[in-house]
Amino acid sequence: GLLGIAVGALHTFAGPDHLAGLAPLVIGQRRSPVAAFGLGALWGSGHATGQLLLGLGCLAVQVGLVKTMWAPAFAKASGVLVGASLVAIGL
């Protein structure tokens, strides 16, 4: 429990993909502190939702609800999806 929260927090502060994802949304924008907080909260909520869904998927595999034949294909596809989303943000 606590270890997961600590690792998640470290990932948030240390991940360069977070800076690459948020930078185009804020550079050159004049936002009030409330609007900046709102943007950060929405972005963080979306990120947390994605991690929650991924965690639930891993839990389903762990307890045997889902078979893992597709795991190698998912690993390759997830890297491509992350890269494509960062490129799309940059456009």
Side-chain angles (χ1 to χ4, degrees):
L2 278 178
L3 181 61
I5 291 172
V7 170
L10 179 62
H11 167 77
T12 300
F13 289 111
D17 58 323
H18 295 101
L19 189 57
L22 279 174
L25 300 175
V26 298
I27 291 176
Q29 302 290 320
R30 293 181 183 231
R31 297 184 190 276
S32 71
V34 172
F37 178 82
L39 176 64
L42 285 174
W43 185 86
S45 297
H47 193 71
T49 300
Q51 290 202 8
L52 174 67
L53 294 174
L54 186 58
L56 289 173
C58 290
L59 183 61
V61 169
Q62 177 69 27
V63 298
L65 294 175
V66 176
K67 301 296 179 194
T68 58
M69 295 177 355
W70 49 267
F74 178 74
K76 287 182 184 178
S78 65
V80 171
L81 288 173
V82 168
S85 66
L86 288 174
V87 168
I89 289 170
L91 296 175

